[in-house]
Amino acid sequence: MTPALQAMGLQVSYGERVVLREASLTVPRGRWVALVGPNGAGKSTLMRCLAGLLAPASGQVSLQGKVLQAWSGRQRARTLSWMGQDVVADPDMTVRDAVALGRLPHQGWLGLPSDQTVDREAIELALQDADMSWAAERSWGALSGGERQRVSLARALAVQAPVLLLDEPVAHLDAPHQRLLAQVLRREALLGRSVVSVLHELPLALQADELAVMREGRVLIQGSRDDPAVHRILESVFDHAVAVSRVDGRWVVVPQF
């Protein structure tokens, strides 16, 4: 089956600094892939290439089997949803209006909604998934950092795209909302959507279907969360400061002091 999203041999440099070195990643349909690695590994740069926000010097990104650059802007926006870091909005914009921006790719000629009922349902579900329904009429400027992060997540979910890219989605989130995010992303994968998330929170990353472990601009390994080889590489890239163990039927990360 054709992957939902695929990167092949991506090379990116900033001046003389090489950030991605022949980086490759395959995102199967209906799977949640967690992208992990130490600071400076190239995770966010790889995500920006996957989203079409950054053109690599060499290599290629394909979306549903077609080269990313061959997609029109609207087609891409409907098919691939992006949540980046440090998203900002008009301080006076309501939470509901900010989330509604996720429906823009589905609007018709002259900006008229193609199906207002579908739009409303998508917005309400996204607010619920991000636990922000209670704040729908609040302004962006009145929100905390964690609440803004959840609104940004809701906006990405509202697109209801087949592919969802999330760069550090749990930044500023407390433990209950990290758990909620994991539940939502698992559900999205079960519904057939493909999810890629950059995560520094290794216990949360081990809830994904697959892990892709990066170091120094390369994807060293990609495989199931149950794969011992993935665990060994994961421990290695973090200089064995953590160990992956099985506790009560689930994988956990144990700090090593």
Side-chain angles (χ1 to χ4, degrees):
M1 181 181 292
T2 303
L5 189 64
Q6 189 170 37
M8 295 168 286
L10 301 188
Q11 187 89 4
V12 173
S13 298
Y14 296 134
E16 296 183 356
R17 178 173 169 245
V18 180
V19 182
L20 291 184
R21 306 170 186 268
E22 300 296 319
S24 297
L25 181 75
T26 298
V27 184
R29 297 172 189 261
R31 301 284 280 180
W32 172 17
V33 179
L35 193 58
V36 299
N39 293 335
K43 302 183 295 295
S44 291
T45 300
L46 176 55
M47 288 288 280
R48 288 177 60 82
C49 290
L50 293 175
L53 301 175
L54 177 65
S58 61
Q60 180 175 288
V61 176
S62 296
L63 176 61
Q64 296 184 348
K66 185 166 70 173
V67 176
L68 194 59
Q69 289 79 2
W71 290 74
S72 71
R74 172 158 294 196
Q75 286 176 325
R76 184 193 302 179
R78 288 178 174 177
T79 308
L80 191 155
S81 180
W82 162 256
M83 175 189 171
Q85 301 179 37
D86 301 322
V87 178
V88 296
D90 184 334
D92 297 323
M93 179 178 287
T94 67
V95 166
R96 189 185 306 279
D97 287 344
V99 175
L101 293 175
R103 300 303 299 170
L104 287 177
H106 300 280
Q107 290 185 350
W109 189 57
L110 297 180
L112 297 175
S114 54
D115 190 326
Q116 294 187 35
T117 299
V118 171
D119 286 344
R120 283 195 298 268
E121 290 176 351
I123 292 165
E124 294 308 317
L125 177 59
L127 286 167
Q128 178 181 324
D129 284 342
D131 188 27
M132 289 302 292
S133 298
W134 61 273
E137 304 310 321
R138 285 198 179 186
S139 66
W140 174 270
L143 302 178
S144 69
E147 290 166 347
R148 291 182 179 185
Q149 187 79 353
R150 282 150 52 197
V151 174
S152 298
L153 171 64
R155 179 164 59 187
L157 291 170
V159 182
Q160 296 187 335
V163 180
L164 180 61
L165 302 179
L166 307 171
D167 191 4
E168 297 192 32
V170 299
H172 311 297
L173 296 191
D174 55 23
H177 289 104
Q178 290 187 25
R179 179 179 61 186
L180 176 62
L181 175 72
Q183 293 168 346
V184 169
L185 297 188
R186 281 199 297 264
R187 184 203 67 201
E188 292 296 288
L190 288 171
L191 289 173
R193 297 189 176 103
S194 302
V195 181
V196 186
S197 58
V198 171
L199 293 169
H200 288 289
E201 299 73 12
L202 297 181
L204 181 60
L206 285 165
Q207 303 305 307
D209 298 306
E210 299 183 10
L211 275 71
V213 185
M214 294 191 69
R215 182 174 62 190
E216 296 179 350
R218 294 185 173 91
V219 178
L220 301 183
I221 192 170
Q222 179 182 351
S224 167
R225 67 184 177 197
D226 298 317
D227 188 341
V230 171
H231 300 166
R232 288 196 296 270
I233 296 296
L234 182 65
E235 294 167 348
S236 174
V237 300
F238 287 103
D239 295 328
H240 298 283
V242 297
V244 179
S245 301
R246 192 77 168 173
V247 177
D248 295 332
R250 68 175 59 190
W251 295 110
V252 299
V253 177
V254 181
Q256 303 295 292
F257 297 105

